[in-house]
Amino acid sequence: MKTIIAEFSRSIVATVFFAVIVCGAYPLVIFGLGQVMFPHQANGSLIVDKKGTVVGSELIGQNFSSDKYFHPRPSAAGNNGYDPAASGGSNLGPTSGTLYTNIMNNIAAYRSDNGLVTNAPVPADAVTESGSGLDPHISVANAELQISRVAKQRGLSEDKVRALVEENTSGRDLGLFGEPRVNVVTLNFALDGLGK
């Protein structure tokens, strides 16, 4: 009986010890390191305007539909897209007729919006949704095709808009992985900053 009580006591002590470490100390240490070493990222990579108002996050796409903005990828998140509470893709498979129709409509709209000829190649990310529906990035090719429209709508030179695209372009992760990408959210807010 004494052995059972001793083992039970050790189990309780070990459980409490590890609960304090794993559920208390470790999260506090990681939280503190994040706040000290990466405060911007640890707090959501928020974008704040000149008035101090949070206008978005660098990590969550927004629906910019006006011709004076770079357009993001299409989104299937929520009824109108870009709903963070309904993050997800369309779940339409490659043999889906609905998916085919949506992509063909997106291609036609993209060509029309950007003044492209009817058989001009269109980047895949311009007409397909991301898995989350909240991707803030587009390909460099997608951004390049939109420069002329945005520059014309804003009365800016294409060189000035192209320079902003380059400033908001991230390279490959660790120089090896993925493709260069343009953050549409930060790019569009930088464009708005030019006009003020």
Side-chain angles (χ1 to χ4, degrees):
M1 185 70 166
K2 288 183 181 180
T3 306
I4 293 174
I5 292 173
E7 290 296 325
F8 184 71
S9 297
R10 281 189 221 133
S11 298
I12 295 295
V13 169
T15 300
V16 170
F17 173 77
F18 284 112
V20 168
I21 297 296
V22 175
C23 300
Y26 178 76
L28 285 175
V29 168
I30 296 302
F31 175 78
L33 286 174
Q35 292 298 320
V36 171
M37 297 172 67
F38 311 103
H40 179 67
Q41 294 88 340
N43 291 306
S45 300
L46 300 177
I47 301 170
V48 181
D49 68 9
K50 293 178 182 177
K51 297 176 186 174
T53 304
V54 174
V55 293
S57 169
E58 296 172 11
L59 306 174
I60 300 175
Q62 295 183 21
N63 189 15
F64 295 97
S65 57
S66 169
D67 283 342
K68 69 179 187 171
Y69 289 116
F70 282 85
H71 296 169
R73 293 184 73 159
S75 173
N79 293 334
N80 299 316
Y82 291 97
D83 179 358
S87 176
S90 68
N91 293 329
L92 298 174
T95 60
S96 168
T98 303
L99 178 64
Y100 177 80
T101 301
N102 290 348
I103 289 175
M104 296 313 290
N105 290 339
N106 289 342
I107 290 172
Y110 186 86
R111 287 176 177 154
S112 174
D113 290 347
N114 294 294
L116 304 175
V117 295
T118 55
N119 62 348
V122 174
D125 68 297
V127 296
T128 57
E129 296 104 359
S130 68
S132 70
L134 302 173
D135 190 355
H137 299 100
I138 59 174
S139 66
V140 174
N142 187 346
E144 285 286 331
L145 289 172
Q146 297 185 59
I147 287 174
S148 178
R149 170 181 48 83
V150 172
K152 183 178 177 184
Q153 288 294 318
R154 290 184 176 264
L156 298 169
S157 73
E158 288 189 22
D159 288 339
K160 188 163 198 139
V161 175
R162 185 171 282 106
L164 269 180
V165 168
E166 289 173 11
E167 287 174 24
N168 290 278
T169 300
S170 302
R172 296 172 185 267
D173 294 331
L174 302 176
L176 299 169
F177 304 108
E179 294 295 323
R181 60 209 174 273
V182 179
N183 190 313
V184 178
V185 178
T186 59
L187 174 58
N188 284 334
F189 285 120
L191 280 166
D192 281 347
L194 278 181
K196 293 179 182 176

